[in-house]
Amino acid sequence: MRATSTDCTTILQELRMAPRDAALEGTVMSALQDCICARYGIDERTDTNFEHLAIMSIKTHDPASKGLSPDALAKRIRQYDCHQTTLVAKMKTLFTMYVERELGISTDDDEVARAKTLEDYAALVAQALRDARGDAA
């Protein structure tokens, strides 16, 4: 069963209260996977690349994109990108802002920009959660 945006808020609230132990990054990763699937309206649980997940979401919600390959859709998105900021980057930014708001944390914008996968971002979130409580890594 696909999680909803409401479920995502609950998942992140529970994560906010989770123990800051050695398993924190795995817990964060699982929560982020559930939330990105809910926010993007997809069921993907194996691919963790932000760009791929955003493209899957676009294909799911845009009838004109359904028949396109992921590469063709990525090219189409870049072709119509008049502001040099892709829809994929916007989707990632909105997702990370949502996560940080719900968790009451802040991460470095440059580090988030370099995060290409959910694993990369989960490590940043786990560290920010530890820092928020003053816990050691």
Side-chain angles (χ1 to χ4, degrees):
M1 183 174 170
R2 182 185 294 170
T4 65
S5 289
T6 302
D7 296 333
C8 186
T9 299
T10 302
I11 290 164
L12 292 176
Q13 288 171 352
E14 290 171 2
L15 178 61
R16 190 176 194 175
M17 304 311 294
R20 301 326 189 233
D21 58 16
L24 181 60
E25 283 189 32
T27 303
V28 170
M29 180 62 191
S30 179
L32 291 179
Q33 283 180 306
D34 290 342
C35 286
I36 203 160
C37 288
R39 300 290 291 187
Y40 284 14
I42 57 176
D43 291 320
E44 179 60 44
R45 299 284 303 169
T46 56
D47 194 334
T48 62
N49 180 289
F50 276 112
E51 182 177 2
H52 298 168
L53 294 168
I55 288 171
M56 284 181 228
S57 176
I58 294 165
K59 283 185 74 160
T60 299
H61 301 291
D62 179 15
S65 300
K66 290 204 188 287
L68 296 175
S69 71
D71 289 339
L73 181 56
K75 183 178 177 182
R76 181 174 159 221
I77 291 168
R78 284 190 293 273
Q79 179 182 3
Y80 295 105
D81 181 14
C82 62
H83 297 291
Q84 303 302 316
T85 305
T86 68
L87 177 58
V88 170
K90 289 177 188 177
M91 291 175 71
K92 175 184 174 186
T93 299
L94 290 173
F95 176 74
T96 59
M97 288 173 60
Y98 167 77
V99 168
E100 292 174 29
R101 184 188 71 232
E102 290 297 316
L103 293 176
I105 61 170
S106 178
T107 57
D108 181 83
D109 291 341
D110 291 333
E111 289 182 17
V112 172
R114 285 189 296 273
K116 301 296 181 204
T117 66
L118 282 177
E119 290 94 348
D120 297 339
Y121 186 56
L124 296 173
V125 170
Q127 188 58 52
L129 286 168
R130 286 187 191 98
D131 292 348
R133 284 208 185 155
D135 298 341

